[in-house]
Amino acid sequence: MGLLSLGTPLEWSESRAHNEHVRQSGIEQLLNIFRQHGTRTNDAFLWGDEVEYMLVDVDATAHTARLAIEKDYILEDLNDDEKALPECIANNVSYHPEYGRFMVEATPNRPYDGADLADYIYVEENMKVRRKLMENQLKDSPSIVPLTLTTFPRMGCGIFTSPPAKPNGPASQSLFLPDEIINRHVRFPTLTANIRRRKGHKVAINLPLYPDTNTKLVDDSIPQRDLFKHDSEPFLGALLPGHVYMDSMGFGMGSSCLQVTMQAGDLKLGLNLYDAFVPVTGVLLALTAAAPIFKGFLVNQDVRWNVILGAVDDRTFYELEKVPFKGYGEFGGLNVEESTKSLVEGITTADGQSVRRIPKSRYDSVDTYLGGDKYFKKAYNDIVSPVNEKVYNQLIEEGFSEPLAHHFAHLFIRDPLVIFNERVNQDNTLENDHFENIQSTNWQLLRFKPPALYPGTTNISDTPGWRVEFRPMEIQITDFENAAFSVFIALLGGAITKFAPNLLIPILKVDENMKTAHDVDAAISSSFWFRSDWNVQVADFAQYGLNWFAKHDETASNGVNGINGTTLNGNGKSATTKPSEAEYARYSVDEVINGNENFPGLLRLVIKFVATTIDGPAADKLQLERLHHYLQLISLRASGDIPTAANWLRRQVLESPAYQHDSKVSEEINYEIVQKVTAITYLSDNTLLTEFFGSQLGKYVASV
Ligand code: ADP
Ligand code: MG
Ligand code: MG
Ligand code: MG
């Protein structure tokens, strides 16, 4: 489609012969990137978001809502010079392919300026235009709406696509998902099939069923079929009792998320920014939770994360340290050197890569801090994290610090999943595809994005620099919320760089937070490990609660900010916890966001950054008012005064007249949800907006 490199993707049995070549070239490319960009300084604070949409076809007569899988030509048209591309460029928007044929990703075409208040407010406008231009392309199909749902409730249940398609495709061999949901570009079905081939069996994702009075704690949606060898896997041990079983990449990569990429001033600032964001990830996943339904079942968790983790998990039985299913080999599709097979240690593939236990999926939390010079301690990188020893030694020899060498050498334990025949040989001084091949199929909570390579004549300071991508957040229903969370993260990035709070805790605790973030209503009921002393004076931030906006406006009648270092949280409630002596302790999302006796809360960091960096005499009152409401949304979600999307969605099922208290989301309930989500998206139902945003914020959102 002109958006992705074209060529002939190699099937796993052919591509694995090039694995070591890709890794070696990838590291050469990385070294060249460090040589070209390692010392650049003073890059601007630019940033951008990514929003993923689902095209949903609604039939108001039949009361069905299904994923539209034959409208993907709009993506080509939106990138076609002769068609909609000039209008997209004029509107500063850009559309990208995603895994699902029913999906579209959209970003600003040019990044935003993080030093300009107006650009933070422009984000929502840009998001609105993205939806609008897509709708223009769908004018002939008025029943199709682009929605920002994290998961489509009935994906994988009977007929859930428009037009209908059957789950009998060779790429995924799924019992539930037809190959017709996969993007037509050859890269995507190849990726799907190669994960399965490398692994040697299908991916298996099991989510606990939400227990209700009539719930049968079995997934009764699994068909008896023997079309493919893999069809028997649920009966050989892939299915866990009491769980919803999913067997294909699409269940994860077919969900939508919200990502934010920020450019750091230089390499060192980038490492510090990455490290500081690590402990924030789980909290933001819980706060943006929006996925309580999978494959037509209410599940006993609120987010998508472990589903994608499982959906692209290409580890073999051996790597997972699991007993293979009867009749399956432990090394999956790896070409293991026969002479090493019986050894306890030292098993290698034919091309010399060692085969080992691997604790995490390619899609997972981060393994390590990058070791920025600010607060990093070796002891924080406390989980077992295997490295590609050859790569590690090479990077250390080139002068990389231990943690940074470890980071890249960990990414390089993975095999490339899709290699294009025409792209095997590259100029490692000018191309970075092999590096990106490994880098971009390590889907972690954060991504440290190095620059690309350029010819010697290029003015390097004009090219994109060292960037950090924040990836845990779930997509929200409205542009208002997606703008709010994007803006919050970008401002937090600015605040972290400016005020240098110490947020670091051991990675083990970060991983525990990731598990906690899956809890039902984690944002209000669970607690998260967080650092107690942020190395900033709480009093210095006391006046930067949400009421700062009112004072700034000079119409505020009374200040409610704390005095003498006593802080109040964002909603004026007194913080209840005693100052903690421990380096880190468990705190509520409310405390992490709105503050307590120990620390100012992330919101105050953000507001002080606004007050001291991007505010000024020329600041527009309406712009500040909008920003105030973005931050209010985050504060109210954190305090539990208004529901998360997951909480609201779960309630729509539990309270539907069509619900049988059996945890099942029928076509009728699915239709009702899509109707309500559409009304909220287009701000067309004040009652729903009040329910979703609370009365005060609901009124504001509806009014602008
Ligand atoms: P990926 O899918 O690899 O994460 P995308 O191109 O889809 O990358 O999105 C990257 C985001 O980064 C976009 O929002 C884009 O506007 C933004 N961006 C582009 N250039 C820069 C830059 N120099 N600094 C920060 N962000 C940038
Ligand atoms: Mg993208
Ligand atoms: Mg994407
Ligand atoms: Mg991204």
Side-chain angles (χ1 to χ4, degrees):
M1 63 182 53
L3 301 172
L4 294 157
S5 51
L6 283 172
T8 320
L10 299 174
E11 212 236 50
W12 174 251
S13 59
E14 296 167 309
S15 86
R16 68 184 179 186
H18 301 290
N19 286 351
E20 196 54 17
H21 166 75
V22 169
R23 275 189 291 265
Q24 270 311 305
S25 312
I27 284 300
E28 276 308 317
Q29 294 172 358
L30 179 70
L31 288 170
N32 285 328
I33 289 170
F34 271 79
R35 287 177 195 127
Q36 187 166 58
H37 297 273
T39 56
R40 63 189 283 170
T41 51
N42 292 322
D43 283 328
F45 178 33
L46 304 177
W47 70 282
D49 70 88
E50 295 165 72
V51 172
E52 293 168 348
Y53 303 82
M54 292 183 185
L55 304 180
V56 181
D57 193 354
V58 183
D59 184 334
T61 314
H63 277 209
T64 59
R66 292 175 177 166
L67 290 171
I69 53 171
E70 279 192 352
K71 297 293 163 190
D72 49 330
Y73 61 83
I74 72 165
L75 190 61
E76 282 185 56
D77 293 351
L78 287 162
N79 281 282
D80 188 334
D81 241 345
E82 313 262 289
K83 294 183 176 162
L85 184 61
E87 195 186 4
C88 295
I89 294 173
N91 281 285
N92 188 30
V93 296
S94 169
Y95 296 87
H96 313 245
E98 252 305 332
Y99 181 82
R101 206 175 285 183
F102 55 88
M103 295 172 84
V104 177
E105 181 187 285
T107 66
N109 191 40
R110 289 185 309 277
Y112 312 118
D113 177 358
D116 183 0
L117 172 64
D119 251 18
Y120 288 96
I121 305 307
Y122 163 68
V123 175
E124 188 179 351
E125 206 180 296
N126 188 279
M127 287 178 177
K128 282 192 180 135
V129 175
R130 292 180 219 169
R131 241 186 249 271
K132 185 93 204 96
L133 295 186
M134 261 190 289
E135 286 159 12
N136 290 351
Q137 296 300 311
L138 294 164
K139 270 206 181 108
D140 295 340
S141 320
S143 62
I144 298 180
V145 277
L147 295 180
T148 37
L149 277 168
T150 294
T151 59
F152 185 71
R154 279 182 63 83
M155 177 145 114
C157 308
I159 298 169
F160 68 96
T161 59
S162 166
K166 285 211 173 79
N168 55 9
S172 69
Q173 303 188 4
S174 170
L175 294 165
F176 315 102
L177 298 186
D179 278 1
E180 285 84 348
I181 67 149
I182 306 174
N183 191 313
R184 275 175 234 266
H185 189 282
V186 279
R187 177 184 144 76
F188 296 95
T190 309
L191 191 55
T192 311
N194 280 359
I195 286 176
R196 178 170 47 68
R197 291 184 186 122
R198 183 193 186 283
K199 189 176 184 69
H201 56 291
K202 279 196 297 188
V203 297
I205 307 144
N206 284 280
L207 298 190
L209 277 154
Y210 178 77
D212 205 343
T213 43
N214 299 334
T215 306
K216 285 188 287 173
L217 284 171
V218 287
D219 181 344
D220 54 9
S221 68
I222 301 165
Q224 290 277 355
R225 190 183 80 171
D226 48 17
L227 191 57
F228 300 107
K229 174 193 170 202
H230 297 283
D231 290 351
S232 54
E233 286 174 10
F235 312 105
L236 295 174
L239 158 74
L240 299 183
H243 288 70
V244 183
Y245 167 72
M246 292 172 277
D247 65 348
S248 185
M249 183 169 175
F251 283 107
M253 285 299 181
S255 60
S256 293
C257 70
L258 174 66
Q259 298 172 339
V260 176
T261 297
M262 292 148 278
Q263 178 164 284
D266 57 38
L267 171 58
K268 216 160 80 178
L269 289 168
L271 301 179
N272 284 324
L273 185 60
Y274 180 104
D275 283 359
F277 265 127
V278 169
V280 174
T281 47
V283 174
L284 264 293
L285 175 59
L287 201 51
T288 56
I293 310 168
F294 285 87
K295 215 185 71 173
F297 288 99
L298 269 182
V299 292
N300 213 13
Q301 64 172 59
D302 267 3
V303 298
R304 78 199 190 288
W305 190 265
N306 59 356
V307 179
I308 321 191
L309 186 154
V312 293
D313 188 352
D314 67 346
R315 287 173 295 171
T316 63
F317 286 113
Y318 180 86
E319 288 166 336
L320 285 161
E321 209 165 354
K322 275 193 176 162
V323 180
F325 301 149
K326 196 159 181 280
Y328 284 64
E330 61 182 335
F331 297 112
L334 296 183
N335 191 9
V336 168
E337 186 66 56
E338 284 301 317
S339 63
T340 67
K341 251 185 182 171
S342 59
L343 302 176
V344 179
E345 279 175 22
I347 304 166
T348 55
T349 57
D351 61 9
Q353 165 88 337
S354 53
V355 178
R356 64 203 117 197
R357 314 292 186 190
I358 303 180
K360 288 189 183 183
S361 165
R362 310 173 75 109
Y363 197 115
D364 215 309
S365 51
V366 301
D367 264 51
T368 54
Y369 288 103
L370 301 186
D373 62 353
K374 213 71 203 165
Y375 301 114
F376 171 73
K377 285 188 204 162
K378 221 172 164 178
Y380 292 152
N381 282 344
D382 58 348
I383 63 165
V384 176
S385 166
V387 291
N388 180 324
E389 295 79 9
K390 201 159 125 195
V391 167
Y392 181 80
N393 292 335
Q394 197 180 348
L395 294 180
I396 290 290
E397 256 173 49
E398 292 284 338
F400 278 52
S401 71
E402 280 179 22
L404 196 57
H406 188 114
H407 168 75
F408 288 114
H410 172 70
L411 303 186
F412 275 70
I413 63 168
R414 311 290 175 179
D415 287 331
L417 291 170
V418 182
I419 299 172
F420 286 93
N421 197 22
E422 296 79 355
R423 301 286 302 138
V424 170
N425 293 313
Q426 298 180 8
D427 178 349
N428 294 339
T429 63
L430 282 175
E431 293 173 286
N432 64 349
D433 283 21
H434 286 325
F435 168 70
E436 284 295 332
N437 190 332
I438 302 289
Q439 154 101 338
S440 69
T441 53
N442 270 277
W443 297 275
Q444 299 190 329
L445 275 173
L446 299 171
R447 183 173 287 157
F448 187 61
K449 292 178 166 175
L453 286 164
Y454 299 90
T457 50
T458 312
N459 184 0
I460 290 301
S461 60
D462 291 341
T463 65
W466 300 95
R467 286 146 298 147
V468 175
E469 182 182 22
F470 189 82
R471 301 164 49 85
M473 295 192 287
E474 309 222 311
I475 201 73
Q476 306 295 292
I477 295 173
T478 60
D479 295 325
F480 175 81
E481 297 160 275
N482 287 317
F485 277 102
S486 306
V487 162
F488 176 75
I489 290 302
L491 289 171
L492 183 59
I496 285 170
T497 304
K498 183 171 172 118
F499 305 122
N502 182 0
L503 304 178
L504 271 49
I505 57 173
I507 294 285
L508 263 174
K509 298 294 175 206
V510 174
D511 281 358
E512 211 177 302
N513 283 351
M514 282 307 289
K515 288 208 170 63
T516 306
H518 286 73
D519 294 352
V520 173
D521 290 334
I524 49 169
S525 314
S526 302
S527 54
F528 291 79
W529 291 107
F530 220 82
R531 197 174 174 86
S532 301
D533 177 358
W534 293 8
N535 199 35
V536 294
Q537 292 299 319
V538 175
D540 289 349
F541 290 83
Q543 69 188 91
Y544 298 104
L546 278 174
N547 58 306
W548 173 83
F549 286 93
K551 277 191 305 181
H552 183 279
D553 199 20
E554 289 174 3
T555 53
S557 48
N558 55 349
V560 290
N561 55 308
I563 43 167
N564 299 334
T566 316
T567 55
L568 299 173
N569 74 12
N571 301 304
K573 294 178 201 158
S574 293
T576 49
T577 40
K578 295 265 179 304
S580 174
E581 296 293 317
E583 186 180 352
Y584 44 88
R586 284 179 181 275
Y587 297 100
S588 65
V589 170
D590 189 20
E591 289 174 281
V592 174
I593 298 291
N594 290 316
N596 65 14
E597 304 284 328
N598 276 94
F599 46 71
L602 300 178
L603 203 68
R604 279 194 176 75
L605 296 187
V606 159
I607 295 173
K608 186 167 179 181
F609 178 72
V610 171
T612 58
T613 309
I614 60 172
D615 183 30
D620 183 306
K621 224 171 101 174
L622 279 178
Q623 290 177 350
L624 280 174
E625 188 184 320
R626 193 120 192 106
L627 186 56
H628 181 185
H629 285 92
Y630 290 158
L631 300 181
Q632 198 171 38
L633 170 81
I634 286 154
S635 177
L636 291 172
R637 284 253 167 95
S639 62
D641 285 293
I642 63 173
T644 60
N647 178 287
W648 182 84
L649 284 164
R650 186 182 301 279
R651 243 182 321 125
Q652 302 320 300
V653 178
L654 296 176
E655 292 169 8
S656 164
Y659 179 58
Q660 304 290 314
H661 300 278
D662 53 0
S663 312
K664 290 196 177 170
V665 179
S666 62
E667 280 240 71
E668 180 65 26
I669 302 175
N670 182 64
Y671 172 75
E672 287 170 10
I673 290 176
V674 167
Q675 289 289 84
K676 288 181 185 174
V677 165
T678 307
I680 291 177
T681 306
Y682 292 96
L683 313 179
S684 61
D685 183 325
N686 287 349
T687 312
L688 279 177
L689 288 175
T690 301
E691 186 181 302
F692 192 63
F693 286 117
S695 59
Q696 191 252 332
L697 192 58
K699 267 200 200 93
Y700 174 79
V701 174
S703 71
V704 280

